[in-house]
Amino acid sequence: MKKPVIGLTTQQDVMVGKKISRINQPYIDAVIKAGGVPLLIPVQGEDSLSEDYIQALDGIIFTGGEDIWPHYFGEEPMKEVSVISHDRDKTEWGLFMKAYESGLPIFGICRGLQLANVALGGTLYQDIFKQVQNVGGHVCGYNTEEGYHSIELEEKSILHEIFGEKRIFVNSEHHQAIKDLGRGLRVTAKSADGIIEAIESVNDKFLMAVQFHPEAMAQKHDEYVSLFKRFIERCSK
Ligand code: MN
């Protein structure tokens, strides 16, 4: 059987004065472990190839990385928002919308969750540590292979089906989070301090997104590989 081809968006960096598109290896490993063929989507600076990617792919993972330019949700940036890439935003914006409209299965991780929410009309906290009262820790540092804070899963959600538990532990590497939810979405997990940690679509689209990094935990914990397996199974349909 043909393995599903899974697009992975990439992060923009500058190395020796030259722009590069890069990705953290655990994303690639997780897709392969879960039975997919990873295909990297470089930062392009525009979205003219979106239709071509959608034709070539069976599913797409919007990965973590830079903050989304706050003007996409109608706000001036706070000083805490310093790592942005217009090239990446332009590449991913049209790609997300076209993938969503065409019904291509979508999995959003960290920035990917935020992109999905904003593209569907939602907003973000630009910096939870400044904007959310009594917020807990959401930056666990280098140890992303292990859990950091807990999240509570909504019943009848994809996450709850996979983990079969009400409460799981996840890593955390974000200073932003969903404020107002975009259309066609429901919240499926929250941390104890009320931060939205997972969403999925309520319509016939397959869209799930998490604020944590399952690809990093998948290196040591098979349950997190199951998240990718569930997504990739859906991509083979
Ligand atoms: Mn978190």
Side-chain angles (χ1 to χ4, degrees), residues 15-235:
M15 203 176 263
V16 207
K18 292 196 170 61
K19 285 181 182 175
I20 58 164
S21 298
R22 71 166 178 87
I23 190 163
N24 293 339
Q25 186 68 31
Y27 287 108
I28 294 168
D29 296 343
V31 168
I32 295 171
K33 265 192 203 169
V37 176
L39 195 123
L40 304 192
I41 300 171
V43 174
Q44 187 192 346
E46 52 169 303
D47 63 1
S48 63
L49 295 177
S50 296
E51 305 275 9
D52 302 276
Y53 285 119
I54 287 159
Q55 284 202 4
L57 300 172
D58 298 304
I60 183 163
I61 298 177
F62 288 88
T63 62
E66 302 90 336
D67 290 340
I68 289 159
W69 190 38
H71 283 279
Y72 279 100
F73 49 94
E75 293 183 11
E76 287 295 328
M78 293 171 56
K79 69 176 183 334
E80 286 75 13
V81 175
S82 56
V83 183
I84 59 168
S85 164
H86 288 289
D87 288 347
R88 183 172 183 185
D89 285 339
K90 285 178 192 160
T91 305
E92 291 188 352
W93 191 265
L95 185 59
F96 175 85
M97 286 316 297
K98 284 180 181 141
Y100 183 77
E101 279 156 16
S102 73
L104 192 74
I106 296 171
F107 185 11
I109 295 177
C110 199
R111 169 193 160 93
L113 167 140
Q114 296 164 3
L115 175 86
N117 187 60
V118 174
L120 295 173
T123 64
L124 304 177
Y125 290 114
Q126 292 190 40
D127 187 83
I128 54 175
F129 303 111
K130 280 277 159 68
Q131 294 178 293
V132 180
Q133 275 202 335
N134 302 318
V135 70
H138 287 273
V139 181
C140 64
Y142 63 90
N143 191 14
T144 54
E145 294 175 5
E146 301 288 356
Y148 178 61
H149 66 61
S150 68
I151 59 173
E152 208 157 289
L153 309 181
E154 285 294 316
E155 281 180 24
K156 295 190 179 119
S157 63
I158 297 168
L159 278 181
H160 190 263
E161 275 170 38
I162 291 168
F163 288 90
E165 286 175 62
K166 186 87 185 120
R167 188 165 165 263
I168 63 167
F169 288 93
V170 297
N171 56 17
S172 198
E173 268 288 342
H174 60 109
H175 77 113
Q176 300 198 323
I178 291 174
K179 186 159 78 178
D180 303 301
L181 197 61
R183 61 184 174 274
L185 299 170
R186 68 183 268 237
V187 176
T188 57
K190 276 187 180 179
S191 50
D193 54 4
I195 295 294
I196 294 172
E197 290 276 342
I199 54 173
E200 61 184 65
S201 57
V202 291
N203 48 37
D204 58 339
K205 316 278 188 199
F206 188 92
L207 165 62
M208 65 172 183
V210 297
Q211 186 57 75
F212 53 95
H213 283 278
E215 80 288 357
M217 296 188 75
Q219 297 177 96
K220 280 195 181 174
H221 303 280
D222 286 343
E223 322 81 273
Y224 294 85
V225 180
S226 303
L227 250 180
F228 290 87
K229 278 192 180 143
R230 172 65 189 262
F231 172 65
I232 286 169
E233 272 164 28
R234 180 59 210 267
C235 298

